[in-house]
Amino acid sequence: YVYAVAGGEFVKFGKALDVESRFRGLQTGSPVELALLGAVLGPKTLEKSIHAWAQPARVRGEWFSRMGRIEAMVGLIVAGDLSGIMDAMKKPLDSESN
């Protein structure tokens, strides 16, 4: 699964077989309250592809600024819309398009 977790003004895209367990581990290690937004089952390369697409919004590691098209990607993950995710990544994310 690829999941989206919110932490304040940032969102983390990650992968896990057991999303709930992974989320509990993230929350334990976080000084801020996190929210598990959603998860989608996809190919093993999906997380890396999302990270590469979202690179212009990267803050640190797997955490990204919650801007327009990043929020749209979160919505697709929440909806479990794998086809929509793949389509969204066809359009480069850059500072001019957010």
Side-chain angles (χ1 to χ4, degrees):
Y1 291 90
V2 170
Y3 61 82
V5 168
E9 61 190 85
F10 307 110
V11 64
K12 176 187 184 338
F13 298 113
K15 68 179 178 179
L17 293 175
D18 183 341
V19 175
E20 291 290 334
S21 177
R22 177 66 178 131
F23 175 71
R24 286 190 301 273
L26 288 170
Q27 185 60 77
T28 297
S30 176
V32 298
E33 179 134 5
L34 302 177
L36 177 59
L37 302 173
V40 63
L41 185 58
K44 289 184 178 189
T45 58
L46 183 59
E47 180 206 28
K48 266 190 179 180
S49 296
I50 291 173
H51 286 178
W53 170 81
Q55 176 60 34
R58 187 181 306 268
V59 175
R60 183 173 187 184
E62 297 179 346
W63 290 89
F64 301 86
S65 293
R66 294 178 75 173
M67 57 178 67
R69 291 193 41 220
I70 296 293
E71 283 296 311
M73 179 62 75
V74 169
L76 293 167
I77 291 171
V78 170
D81 185 354
L82 184 58
S83 176
I85 292 167
M86 303 307 269
D87 286 344
M89 288 191 295
K90 291 178 184 174
K91 300 174 193 157
L93 179 69
D94 57 37
S95 59
E96 296 175 0
S97 64
N98 289 306

